[in-house]
Amino acid sequence: MPPHLSPLRDLSPLQHAQLLDIELLPEQRMFAGDIESELHILRGRSHPDVCGLALLVEEVPKAFLLLKRGELLPPWARRDAATVHALQIDRRAQRCGLGRLLLTELPTTVRALWPQVHCLQLSVDEQNTAALGLYRALGWTVTGNGYRAAIGFERQLTLAL
Ligand SMILES: CC(C)(COP(=O)(O)OP(=O)(O)OC[C@H]1O[C@@H](n2cnc3c(N)ncnc32)[C@H](O)[C@@H]1OP(=O)(O)O)[C@@H](O)C(=O)NCCC(=O)NCCS
């Protein structure tokens, strides 16, 4: 089967354990947070407005992201959006096209999951040139401020669905 996105709830116990093998380079950790704490939060709650997704390559998770909507949206987001958080590709699998593939597949996955959502939004640090280059290449546009940064704010990016 080609690489594909899968909700975490559909993963096997082995695939759940393999999620913890996803690692970032030390200098990238500030951009996407720590997968272990995201998974810990998810384990503690089953909420209709949050969904973890894994990108499976030969059925092994190589990337992770979290989607939020409704009452879990950050304050900077549009009320009809789903927001993308903690997006990360395993460091050993970066620069192989997986980030592009994941983000290309994401709109279809979100439409199927949450048909009421009208756009995807995320907050990205302006120092994160790799991620910004990828988002821009796939049609995401800067639409304002995201999270507060050390100086000023991160950029808010939006993709219409
Ligand atoms: C950003 C990230 C998701 C990209 O994933 P990836 O699988 O390596 O990206 P791809 O191989 O699909 O590359 C797609 C495009 O992204 C950009 N890109 C990816 N890595 C890059 C890098 N290190 N430097 C510059 N541009 C980069 C390029 O435009 C690239 O296109 P090209 O290969 O034609 O030049 C990945 O580097 C990552 O997980 N980073 C750490 C976490 C993070 O920053 N998450 C985003 C939080 S908002």
Side-chain angles (χ1 to χ4, degrees):
M1 194 183 278
H4 59 282
L5 280 170
S6 171
L8 297 194
R9 61 171 179 263
D10 295 340
L11 299 189
S12 68
L14 173 62
Q15 289 169 324
H16 271 281
Q18 289 168 334
L19 279 172
L20 293 173
D21 295 335
I22 295 174
E23 277 179 7
L24 290 178
L25 297 166
E27 64 271 25
Q28 293 177 326
R29 287 188 197 132
M30 62 182 281
F31 296 137
D34 165 16
I35 189 167
E36 207 159 335
S37 42
E38 300 290 349
L39 291 174
H40 182 72
I41 294 165
L42 275 177
R43 265 195 291 272
R45 68 195 303 176
S46 165
H47 194 290
D49 290 339
V50 64
C51 180
L53 295 175
L55 182 73
L56 302 180
V57 180
E58 295 175 352
E59 298 309 304
V60 178
K62 293 292 176 193
F64 168 81
L65 70 111
L66 207 57
L67 291 171
K68 293 181 184 175
R69 68 167 178 176
E71 66 180 53
L72 298 185
L73 285 170
W76 48 262
R78 274 170 49 170
R79 295 299 98 187
D80 62 349
T83 48
V84 177
H85 305 265
L87 167 64
Q88 48 199 287
I89 311 287
D90 180 63
R91 63 178 175 81
R92 291 149 293 202
Q94 290 179 11
R95 295 306 314 245
C96 302
L98 290 182
R100 186 183 295 271
L101 189 143
L102 182 157
L103 287 166
T104 304
E105 203 176 307
L106 191 58
T108 308
T109 303
V110 174
R111 274 189 224 107
L113 201 61
W114 293 334
Q116 312 84 340
V117 160
H118 289 138
C119 65
L120 288 170
Q121 292 194 297
L122 56 80
S123 175
V124 57
D125 191 302
E126 67 177 359
Q127 309 299 320
N128 194 351
T129 49
L132 272 167
L134 175 57
Y135 300 138
R136 286 218 171 98
L138 293 176
W140 292 68
T141 51
V142 177
T143 45
N145 291 334
Y147 288 115
R148 192 172 283 282
I151 301 169
F153 291 88
E154 293 189 349
R155 291 190 197 166
Q156 175 198 120
L157 267 67
T158 301
L159 182 79
L161 288 179

